[in-house]
Amino acid sequence: MHAPLGDDYFNVMRSMLERERDFTPVTASIVDRHVLARGSQEKVIENITRKDKEENPDLIILTPTCTSSILQEDLQNFVNRAGLDSKSDVILADVNHYRVNELQAADRTLEQIIRFYLEKARSQYNEPLRKTEKPSANILGIFTLGFHNQHDCRELKRLLTDLGIVINQILPEGGSVTNINELPKAWFNLIPYREVGLMAANYLKNEYDMPYVAVTPMGLLDTENCIREIVDIVKSSDTSYNFDFETYIDTQTRFISQAAWFSRSIDCQNLTGKKAVVFGDATHAASITKILAREMGIRVSCSGTYCKHDADWFREQVDGFCDEVLITDDHTQVADMIARIEPAAIFGTQMERHIGKRLDIPCGVISAPVHIQNFPLGFRPFLGYEGTNQISDLVYNSFTLGMEDHLLEIFGGHDTKEVITKSLSTDSDLAWAPEALTELQRIPGFVRGKIKRNTEKFAREKNCNLITLEIMFAAKEAVGA
Amino acid sequence: MTNSKLTETLTFECETGNYHTFCPISCVAWLYQKIEDSFFLVIGTKTCGYFLQNALGVMIFAEPRYAMAELEEADISAQLNDYKELKRLCLQIKQDRNPSVIVWIGTCTTEIIKMDLEGMAPRLEAEIQTPIVVARANGLDYAFTQGEDTVLAAMVQRCPSNAPEQNQIEKKSLVLFGSLPTNVATQLNLELERCGIQVAGWLPSQRYADLPVLNQNVYVCGINPFLSRTATTLMRRRKCKLISAPFPIGPDGTRAWLEKICSVFNVAPINLIERERLIWDSLEDYITLLRGKSVFFMGDNLLEISLARFLVRCGMIVYEIGIPYLDKRFQSAELQLLEKTCSEMNVAMPRIVEKPDNYNQIQRIRELQPDLAITGMAHANPLEARGINTKWSVEFTFAQIHGFTNARDILELVTRPLRRNKALENLGWNQLVKM
């Protein structure tokens, strides 16, 4: 990363959000005044060759950040020169930070890397391409910091295995660049998320005639569609493939996954016609909208996405399943829309969750932007048949907890104990001086009671009956002694 | 590991390496809360926005008094008139929030495209009738907490030169600078009051209108080690006199800080030594856990020298202090106290490394195997997985660590990993990476 101090914030996100056990393989080649004055060539090349020796990677990718791209230095030249001296391959990530968002950049860079290694393999070996004997697939688009990507990947592997399909390569997470040349051996590519992986899939289709399935298997109906597309592709290459997928789909839908039964069960009837708002990346927002509308009978008042570059596809997908569509990356517009519609629940990103907190509307998180809560340790896919269970849970809990809160409000809260302790404390013979009271109010609510009691106890021990600021601070100091 | 040959003085190196720290615009997170009638406008790109969104998370929605003015390609290639755009934004801010001051935070991008923020601000200020302060907090020149330094240095210009009452002119007065939560500031004010010294004001003050009077009769003293530019600006532009002292972190630092201020004001400090001793007694239970243990600072928030000095006084051995930037003159008293403390506690002087290289530091940590590594969040988890106890350094920036009253809080943070991991040791959960 060719960047000033602080741009490598990514390392913190990966280490803390994903709870990654290893050092993040990203280093910032720091851009400072010296670099601005003298040019970055020396420093960048030196850093690349240094990392080559220290870490022995197979591939080093140099990426500018928005600051360094304004400098318009010839980074491609540096990459070429560094490549001469290093054992590893060196590539420059070809993205313009002002024109694309992070999803488009990831999509583009993945394609760039795959293209690089396949062209390299083609120029070195001249073997004819041999497909695997058994039907196989590559999964493209599983990312670090992707929304529930790790869990989804596990579920996809299980699904493909159930269908008798071997997993060839999974990229990029857990994959290795040395295996990229194996990609064309698979029978087809599976692209679970629209945002990342499509460019690579198209490249592989054009160059190697590899078909791909880009139906996101989220929800019972779309999982079925995805399976049918997969089966069509496999059958067209191998007519002897005779897996009884009709029975499989039917059993999974009606008996193994609990989601269909949930939709039929009587307490789900209470959700019929309830208003919801959906917002997120194109893949998740579109899928959740369809699930809510088709599979659960919930009314989606508004469905939206911040993936403006994919607006057409999005509109087409949710057409008929929602009352209005909102395409924007301005979160205040989303907030205004939610305030206007006043849904019973929101299904959005962490940004919408905060809007929901302000407006007192429950929210289930279904897409990035994310917080630490969206990296659960337990197995929580959104895709496949297990995913349908997780989504049903999320939907149900969001609506029910919302109901619970409203009932509590109507019936006056959790009850009697607080009233009793309130009256006890007013019996105290201690007075609080005004500045001390102001100070007490500044303390966050959830610790205030404890601090008040501690201070009063200290004051009693010292035989004071007026609590001043000095006594408050002295009480804090005395805690350890 | 004992070092039989003790070096007489501190050794300083500059590694000019690749190290990780936060972008200085992070200062917005605490400054907008401190200055209650302010509005911070960060003029930068998507990268800045992503960082603020991640780092500040929840606060984005809780009545924010900060916003991003996002530069797009049209702005960079000078197709849009930047004065007009900023005017539009500032008028909206004035309408929505009506702050007493708008602070423009310049970023790396505005530096490189040489956006003339200092030129535009006075014109716009005259037009919209709201003060605009320009601070360049960018990662090209500064690291993390130095963002606060640039903002305070910019605010110095706005402080009045004279108090309304004429008879204040001749008297010596004391102004403290550095952003602290109000209750900690109150605690420090109380300590000085006990010594008979009234604090005339703080920079920054809670309200913009309460900025302190600054002139040649004012003595200023900083409370944080990263405020060297503010100190220089105060001395050069407003002719204030700087009191150079160790910083009030830890009971030893607090006492030294108070004593120095008292000596400048010709006041005899009352009971300070006794007060300090009482605090040390109250910390004994935590100090027992630390005595004889070693610590390694990777360095990111510029508080490292003061924290190291306090920990040495607690009986720890400091192997290395990494620090993004060290102003030897501003920290001279602190450095002297560190030397003195090391020789009094009979431990080897730590190695001080400016602009450290994180990769090399990790190798050094592997070799030295310190009992505790104080490091940023990019490296803490991987080090823990390899059996090294770590304390993430950012917590020291947001916890209350100044004064006598909060000394225990520092040790609570420092001992927490040791206490927690001791419990896990018996379970054998030390190496959580396959080697």
Side-chain angles (χ1 to χ4, degrees), chain B residues 165-185:
Chain B
E165 314 94 70
Q166 283 292 97
N167 58 4
Q168 293 281 9
I169 292 184
E170 293 304 320
K171 204 166 127 184
K172 284 200 302 201
S173 60
L174 175 67
V175 165
L176 300 176
F177 63 94
S179 175
L180 285 180
T182 312
N183 63 329
V184 183

Side-chain angles (χ1 to χ4, degrees), chain B residues 1-11 317 339 341-350:
Chain B
M1 170 175 147
T2 46
N3 203 341
S4 50
K5 174 171 158 238
L6 294 174
T7 29
E8 290 294 311
T9 48
L10 297 164
T11 46
I317 306 165
E339 260 183 29
T341 312
C342 286
S343 63
E344 279 176 19
M345 299 296 292
N346 211 18
V347 291
M349 299 278 178

Side-chain angles (χ1 to χ4, degrees), chain A residues 131 133 135 186-188 209 211 230-241:
Chain A
K131 294 278 177 191
E133 218 183 286
W187 292 30
F188 67 99
D209 209 18
I230 292 177
V231 167
D232 279 343
I233 291 180
V234 174
K235 273 200 173 146
S236 65
S237 305
D238 174 13
T239 42
S240 71
Y241 177 73

Side-chain angles (χ1 to χ4, degrees), chain A residues 214-356:
Chain A
V215 175
T216 305
M218 201 183 302
L220 290 169
L221 295 173
D222 274 342
T223 304
E224 181 179 336
N225 290 336
C226 181
I227 294 177
R228 286 184 189 282
E229 268 198 37
I230 292 177
V231 167
D232 279 343
I233 291 180
V234 174
K235 273 200 173 146
S236 65
S237 305
D238 174 13
T239 42
S240 71
Y241 177 73
N242 60 356
F243 176 75
D244 184 5
F245 64 95
E246 294 285 356
T247 311
Y248 176 77
I249 291 175
D250 187 48
T251 320
Q252 290 283 334
T253 303
R254 288 197 295 141
F255 300 106
I256 309 287
S257 154
Q258 302 297 310
W261 168 231
F262 164 74
S263 295
R264 184 79 198 216
S265 65
I266 53 178
D267 54 351
C268 184
Q269 285 174 10
N270 293 345
L271 298 180
T272 309
K274 279 220 150 74
K275 279 197 297 186
V277 159
V278 179
F279 195 84
D281 64 43
T283 305
H284 290 88
S287 294
I288 297 286
T289 303
K290 289 189 280 182
I291 294 171
L292 292 175
R294 291 194 293 192
E295 299 178 23
M296 295 184 191
I298 292 167
R299 180 172 158 202
V300 181
S301 303
C302 179
S303 178
T305 179
Y306 53 83
C307 295
K308 295 197 296 201
H309 60 279
D310 224 357
D312 292 336
W313 176 86
F314 184 78
R315 283 184 200 278
E316 190 202 354
Q317 288 292 307
V318 300
D319 183 38
F321 298 119
C322 60
D323 297 340
E324 30 174 303
V325 176
L326 177 62
I327 315 269
T328 178
D329 59 3
D330 178 355
H331 65 89
T332 46
Q333 280 189 31
V334 181
D336 290 339
M337 176 268 288
I338 293 177
R340 172 175 52 89
I341 291 181
E342 287 187 298
I346 308 168
F347 296 98
T349 73
Q350 280 285 353
M351 309 280 277
E352 282 69 53
R353 189 175 80 86
H354 290 305
I355 294 170

Side-chain angles (χ1 to χ4, degrees), chain B residues 130-143:
Chain B
T130 303
I132 299 180
V133 173
V134 177
R136 300 187 187 191
N138 66 74
L140 295 163
D141 299 309
Y142 306 112

Side-chain angles (χ1 to χ4, degrees), chain B residues 208-337:
Chain B
Y208 179 72
D210 296 337
L211 283 175
V213 170
L214 297 174
N215 54 43
Q216 69 271 24
N217 292 318
V218 175
Y219 283 80
V220 289
C221 190
I223 48 91
N224 262 328
F226 44 80
L227 299 169
S228 49
R229 287 191 98 227
T230 310
T232 339
T233 314
L234 285 165
M235 288 192 291
R236 291 205 190 130
R237 297 291 184 86
R238 307 304 286 263
K239 313 285 184 226
C240 302
K241 301 191 183 40
L242 179 70
I243 301 178
S244 178
F247 298 98
I249 296 173
D252 50 343
T254 311
R255 175 172 68 89
W257 183 77
L258 289 169
E259 273 179 355
K260 187 67 196 286
I261 297 181
C262 286
S263 78
V264 169
F265 279 77
N266 283 321
V267 170
I270 307 170
N271 254 347
L272 275 184
I273 300 187
E274 180 60 21
R275 192 130 159 59
E276 190 195 342
R277 192 183 65 75
L278 279 174
I279 300 288
W280 281 112
D281 288 343
S282 75
L283 300 174
E284 185 56 33
D285 55 343
Y286 278 156
I287 295 181
T288 333
L289 295 172
L290 296 175
R291 231 173 240 129
K293 297 248 167 52
S294 56
V295 61
F296 188 111
F297 284 84
M298 277 183 76
D300 62 356
N301 57 19
L302 284 92
L303 294 172
E304 289 81 16
I305 309 281
S306 308
L307 289 172
R309 181 258 304 147
F310 173 42
L311 292 181
V312 170
R313 183 59 75 179
C314 290
M316 293 188 85
I317 306 165
V318 178
Y319 286 152
E320 177 171 321
I321 305 178
I323 189 168
Y325 170 72
L326 177 59
D327 187 314
K328 292 209 186 89
R329 282 186 327 181
F330 187 62
Q331 292 216 47
S332 59
E334 186 64 73
L335 289 167
Q336 268 174 17
L337 184 57

